[in-house]
Amino acid sequence: MSRLLSARVAGYVPRQRPRRDRVPARPAALGSVMRSARYRSLLLALTTLFAALAASGCKVTAEDIAYWKRTVKGPGKIAAVILSDKYPVDLRTQGALALIEMERTDVDGVDLMKRALEQLKSTNPEDMQRIVEGMVPGLVEAMRGGADATPSGEDTPPPPAQVRAKDAAYVLVLIGASGAAKEQLINAVVGWYATDFAKRSLAGSYSAEQVVRSLGSEADRQLAARQLVEAMTARIPVQAMVKISQLLGQIGNDETKRVAGETLVRVQREMETDEYLGWLKEQISASYAAQGREASENLVTRAALLNRENYINDGALPAMKFLAESEPVANRLLEIARTQPPSSAAPLERESINLRRQRALMALEGGAKRSHLDQLLALALNNDNPIAVRDYAFDRVGDIRSEDAIPRLWPLVTYAENDDLQKRIRWRAGELVLVLGGPDVVGEFLNRLPDDREVEYEPEELEGYATRMAQMTPRPARVDALIERQLSSSDWFAKTIALRFIERTGDAGDVAKMERLRRDRGDVVGDGWSRREISTVGKVAESAIAGLRERLARPAAGVAAAMEEASMTE
């Protein structure tokens, strides 16, 4: 060994190592190697290795580290150098980076580096920190792809060397990097994901979501969250935008969510600009050219307009749902929902705008507040709005749970028109009144329903009212008594509500009360009854009695089955 070192000093080229120490040409499966006894015991032998290196008096150089990257036993020797305080920290740092650089199928260099540094942390934490700090610039550069980095194609995954560097940087955070080094590593890792979230979020051994969620301190998580905020632009894939927003909604604090919300609003507004439309046209034209196809300006424009709507409706607006509690997001969603198509709009444009309004109200779920009630009621009560827009406006009114909405809903409950739309609106308003008002409004609700003999009620509407009443918790006994009295009402719809209510809440003793209505020949009026082959209140009573008995039999049947199964296993 001493002659070899002397030869190096004199400028001689050292004799080539025997080829038997080279990596076998036959690649081994990484998983099987890691599970082998040799790999599991590798670190147990590291102390012996670096002791032997030190005892031999052999000086290890950067050339040795580079050579060992390619040999069978080389990775273990490199790990031994990392562990030994006989060598300069710079060389040990170079060794740690070399393990990550290895293009090997038989050894997981990142895991070996992790194990070595974890062992070093237990014996010499100061050296471990110095090595980690020294690794940061190299890892950051490797994640960028190095000096010869070239952008990957649309369907090309990130290069393995970058993925290993990203995994290693995250491992250093887990091991215990501290101070400026830790901050640099978190910024680098999350920034690497953010550069191309769609292609990189699942790359390597650690996903973006796993990394962000596992960061130990609140400060670290918010640091990572702010990096993700910067990744949200109008030009990232819609799936990536939605996923980033979901993560931010779950891990972000109030300030981070506010910043993220403002960013999303800017992104959505940008999507509506002519500049953004022009960018989409460029992308579409380039796609046609790459396929060797020609496209007219009109075709490209129509495709760009369609893509823009998809980016907004399937990307920006669903992403806003996870940040709907943020005031900027909620206000923007309401602004979109209020924007009606211009009178001059063509049918397709009108449909597109109304779909966007609907998606905005869907995204507002969880973010509607009492201060939004008037705006939402105005949308729900406006007959000029499409039914889908009104439906979701009703849903958001229900989310607010304010009894202040009830006075403005009563007029809808009294609708007597038999138009399908008007019946649907009455149904929505009626269920909402019962949800918001609870037991206190049941009596007034029953009195306000229109009782003209020609008024139609669909079976789903009356069952919906019965279900809402049955779900009231707590439900005073006076409510049950009030509804039971409807069995003697002169109005067929009131008797039907009572029958369906008892079907859902009654017991065996209530069957006799329902039986009295089996002989009721009063007609039921509505389009949907014939589909159920129900034409009279008596038929409703038969159906409700059967439903009650089936419900009561279910628990008993379950117990019997459990007892039978138990007896079979004894």
Side-chain angles (χ1 to χ4, degrees):
M1 177 69 75
S2 60
R3 288 197 300 274
L4 176 60
L5 293 175
S6 299
R8 286 177 180 163
V9 172
Y12 293 102
V13 177
R15 184 165 53 92
Q16 186 177 13
R17 271 71 166 181
R19 293 191 62 83
R20 68 175 182 275
D21 197 34
R22 298 292 181 97
V23 178
R26 176 175 76 255
L30 179 58
S32 61
V33 173
M34 291 181 65
R35 289 191 295 269
S36 69
R38 181 181 68 81
Y39 190 83
R40 288 196 301 270
S41 62
L42 182 57
L43 279 174
L44 297 178
L46 290 179
T47 303
T48 304
L49 274 172
F50 73 69
L53 285 170
S56 69
C58 175
K59 178 181 178 183
V60 176
T61 67
E63 183 185 30
D64 293 317
I65 297 291
Y67 176 75
W68 286 341
K69 287 164 58 177
R70 306 188 301 275
T71 65
V72 174
K73 296 182 180 180
K77 295 178 180 180
I78 295 173
V81 170
I82 295 171
L83 286 167
S84 177
D85 59 6
K86 302 293 185 182
Y87 302 106
V89 169
D90 287 349
L91 184 67
R92 296 159 75 185
T93 301
Q94 184 177 347
L97 290 170
L99 291 177
I100 300 160
E101 294 165 359
M102 293 189 308
E103 299 282 352
R104 303 281 290 261
T105 59
D106 60 326
V107 178
D108 185 342
V110 174
D111 187 64
L112 187 55
M113 178 273 297
K114 174 178 180 286
R115 292 169 184 264
L117 289 179
E118 284 177 334
Q119 184 172 335
L120 183 60
K121 182 180 179 180
S122 65
T123 59
N124 193 337
E126 293 82 8
D127 276 7
M128 188 277 292
Q129 286 292 347
R130 292 168 65 193
I131 291 173
V132 168
E133 291 170 2
M135 293 175 69
V136 171
L139 288 176
V140 172
E141 181 64 20
M143 276 186 272
R144 292 172 180 162
D148 299 327
T150 56
S152 59
E154 182 178 347
D155 299 320
T156 306
Q162 289 188 25
V163 176
R164 290 196 304 273
K166 178 270 300 182
D167 282 349
Y170 173 60
V171 163
L172 296 185
V173 175
L174 293 181
I175 290 174
S178 62
K182 180 179 183 180
E183 184 173 337
Q184 287 177 299
L185 289 168
I186 292 175
N187 279 332
V189 171
V190 180
W192 184 84
Y193 285 121
T195 299
D196 193 347
F197 193 87
K199 285 192 294 186
R200 297 183 175 188
S201 64
L202 299 177
S205 300
Y206 310 98
S207 69
E209 182 172 1
Q210 182 181 357
V211 167
V212 174
R213 288 185 183 280
S214 65
L215 293 175
S217 71
E218 175 66 12
D220 290 342
R221 284 193 295 274
Q222 298 314 312
L223 177 64
R226 289 300 183 92
Q227 286 279 97
L228 290 177
V229 171
E230 296 177 7
M232 289 195 298
T233 71
R235 303 186 182 190
I236 65 173
V238 293
Q239 300 92 336
M241 184 181 299
V242 173
K243 187 60 181 178
I244 291 174
S245 180
Q246 181 182 21
L247 271 174
L248 292 172
Q250 292 169 348
I251 69 169
N253 59 20
D254 290 343
E255 176 61 15
T256 299
K257 290 179 181 178
R258 182 189 64 78
V259 174
E262 292 174 346
T263 301
L264 259 182
V265 170
R266 285 197 301 271
V267 165
Q268 192 278 322
R269 288 186 183 278
E270 180 184 342
M271 289 179 172
E272 295 182 349
T273 63
D274 292 340
E275 289 78 8
Y276 184 75
L277 186 64
W279 173 75
L280 284 175
K281 291 168 69 173
E282 291 174 1
Q283 303 302 306
I284 293 167
S285 296
S287 176
Y288 273 107
Q291 299 172 44
R293 300 166 58 192
E294 293 185 4
S296 66
E297 178 65 23
N298 184 48
L299 176 61
V300 170
T301 299
R302 284 192 287 113
L305 288 169
L306 178 61
N307 273 273
R308 177 164 70 178
E309 287 305 308
N310 290 338
Y311 269 57
I312 293 174
N313 292 335
D314 299 329
L317 296 182
M320 285 182 174
K321 177 180 179 179
F322 299 104
L323 296 166
E325 293 182 0
S326 167
E327 185 175 356
V329 172
N331 290 340
R332 178 55 182 160
L333 291 173
L334 282 168
E335 183 181 356
I336 294 171
R338 293 195 307 268
T339 304
Q340 295 187 350
S343 57
S344 59
L348 187 60
E349 181 185 2
R350 179 177 297 275
E351 180 181 344
S352 176
I353 292 174
N354 283 329
L355 176 61
R356 191 186 300 183
R357 300 172 69 198
Q358 175 187 330
R359 293 293 180 86
L361 288 168
M362 292 169 65
L364 188 59
E365 181 179 7
K369 302 178 178 63
R370 174 61 185 81
S371 58
H372 303 144
L373 182 60
D374 289 342
Q375 297 179 66
L376 290 168
L377 281 171
L379 287 166
L381 302 178
N382 188 342
N383 290 328
D384 292 334
N385 286 330
I387 185 60
V389 171
R390 300 182 71 181
D391 263 345
Y392 283 105
F394 276 123
D395 286 342
R396 301 292 80 81
V397 170
D399 293 344
I400 298 172
R401 297 279 176 169
S402 173
E403 293 184 17
D404 293 343
I406 294 177
R408 297 179 64 178
L409 295 173
W410 281 130
L412 305 185
V413 176
T414 64
Y415 275 172
E417 295 85 351
N418 291 329
D419 174 81
D420 287 344
L421 177 58
Q422 298 302 323
K423 287 190 291 186
R424 181 182 177 90
I425 294 298
R426 180 181 63 212
W427 176 15
R428 287 306 315 270
E431 285 201 25
L432 194 49
V433 164
L434 292 171
V435 169
L436 299 178
D440 292 338
V441 303
V442 171
E444 184 175 2
F445 173 80
L446 292 170
N447 288 331
R448 284 182 179 260
L449 288 174
D451 57 3
D452 189 289
R453 288 186 178 275
E454 301 302 320
V455 174
E456 296 179 358
Y457 288 94
E458 298 303 316
E460 295 83 3
E461 178 182 355
L462 299 182
E463 288 171 2
Y465 298 153
T467 299
R468 292 301 184 186
M469 294 174 185
Q471 290 171 341
M472 293 176 179
T473 305
R475 190 178 66 249
R478 59 182 171 79
V479 171
D480 289 32
L482 172 63
I483 299 174
E484 183 180 323
R485 286 198 297 272
Q486 305 306 309
L487 294 173
S488 303
S489 173
S490 60
D491 296 321
W492 72 269
F493 59 86
K495 287 184 280 193
T496 298
I497 292 173
L499 286 166
R500 293 305 188 186
F501 173 84
I502 297 173
E503 176 187 351
R504 288 158 172 76
T505 63
D507 56 33
D510 292 311
V511 173
K513 305 171 188 175
M514 304 166 75
E515 288 279 1
R516 293 196 298 268
L517 290 178
R518 277 183 180 271
R519 297 184 296 274
D520 191 317
R521 296 293 180 258
D523 292 334
V524 293
V525 186
D527 298 332
W529 295 103
S530 60
R531 292 193 297 270
R532 301 190 181 195
E533 298 183 352
I534 293 176
S535 57
T536 65
V537 173
K539 293 294 185 182
V540 175
E542 290 178 6
S543 173
I545 291 169
L548 172 60
R549 285 174 170 161
E550 181 183 351
R551 178 176 62 81
L552 295 176
R554 254 180 248 132
V559 171
M563 292 177 64
E564 181 180 355
E565 182 179 352
S567 65
M568 293 175 63
T569 58
E570 289 178 353

